[in-house]
Amino acid sequence: MNRISKSTQTADPLAWGVVALVGILNLFRGSIHTFLPDGGAGVIAGFDLSHSRQTIVFLFAVMGIEQLSLGVVDLIVAFRVRSLAIPMLWFHALEQTAAEIIFVFYKPPPGRPPGMGGAPLTLAILWLAIGWVYWRRSAGSRQTAAALRAS
């Protein structure tokens, strides 16, 4: 007997695929921020740690734990609870949009951390994935409506 729920079978592959990739990205970033001695603040981002080193390293570790936790949730959604893939896409798109607004206009980082280069690309991929999922749903609804009118 197949124990996969119907909602899992009908989940959009693009949605859960993108959520899985974001989950892997979150696990990678979270591991760096949690387990590197300086959380990547100095050795990767090039931040000056001569002032408030302990505070900066602590904040990077907190951010890393959040990313690790979210990465685990992303992978659970992608591979076990696919019916939540679209809500997770929305969550990540809105979170990333807010982060970009903060980082670009409100509180820009000192220097150019490596993640800042990929952030706009990630943001674009998230919004394109959402648009594609809803466009396909809309196109499917139009086809169904046309078929019903024809019969």
Side-chain angles (χ1 to χ4, degrees):
M1 176 179 209
N2 190 352
R3 304 192 112 192
I4 297 174
S5 72
K6 186 171 184 161
S7 64
T8 298
Q9 292 173 345
T10 60
D12 192 294
L14 177 66
W16 61 261
V18 171
V19 169
L21 291 174
V22 171
I24 292 167
L25 178 65
N26 277 328
L27 289 176
F28 176 73
R29 295 184 310 176
S31 296
I32 289 171
H33 293 143
T34 303
F35 300 117
L36 278 181
D38 70 350
V43 297
I44 296 175
F47 291 167
D48 178 12
L49 299 178
S50 61
H51 303 289
S52 303
R53 176 185 176 85
Q54 185 176 358
T55 302
I56 294 169
V57 171
F58 167 76
L59 291 174
F60 267 62
V62 169
M63 180 173 56
I65 291 299
E66 185 270 335
Q67 290 169 328
L68 285 171
S69 301
L70 193 53
V72 169
V73 170
D74 289 332
L75 294 179
I76 289 170
V77 167
F79 297 112
R80 300 295 295 165
V81 192
R82 290 181 176 168
S83 60
L84 295 177
I86 292 174
M88 283 303 288
L89 268 181
W90 277 102
F91 170 80
H92 285 301
L94 294 171
E95 177 194 39
Q96 193 69 32
T97 299
E100 282 295 304
I101 291 168
I102 296 296
F103 297 152
V104 172
F105 300 110
Y106 185 59
K107 294 186 179 187
R112 185 100 173 125
M116 295 302 294
L121 177 63
T122 302
L123 181 62
I125 289 170
L126 289 167
W127 284 113
L128 287 171
I130 289 171
W132 181 256
V133 166
Y134 284 99
W135 176 77
R136 284 192 354 205
R137 281 186 177 185
S138 173
S141 296
R142 286 191 304 269
Q143 288 175 349
T144 302
L148 288 174
R149 281 191 302 268
S151 60

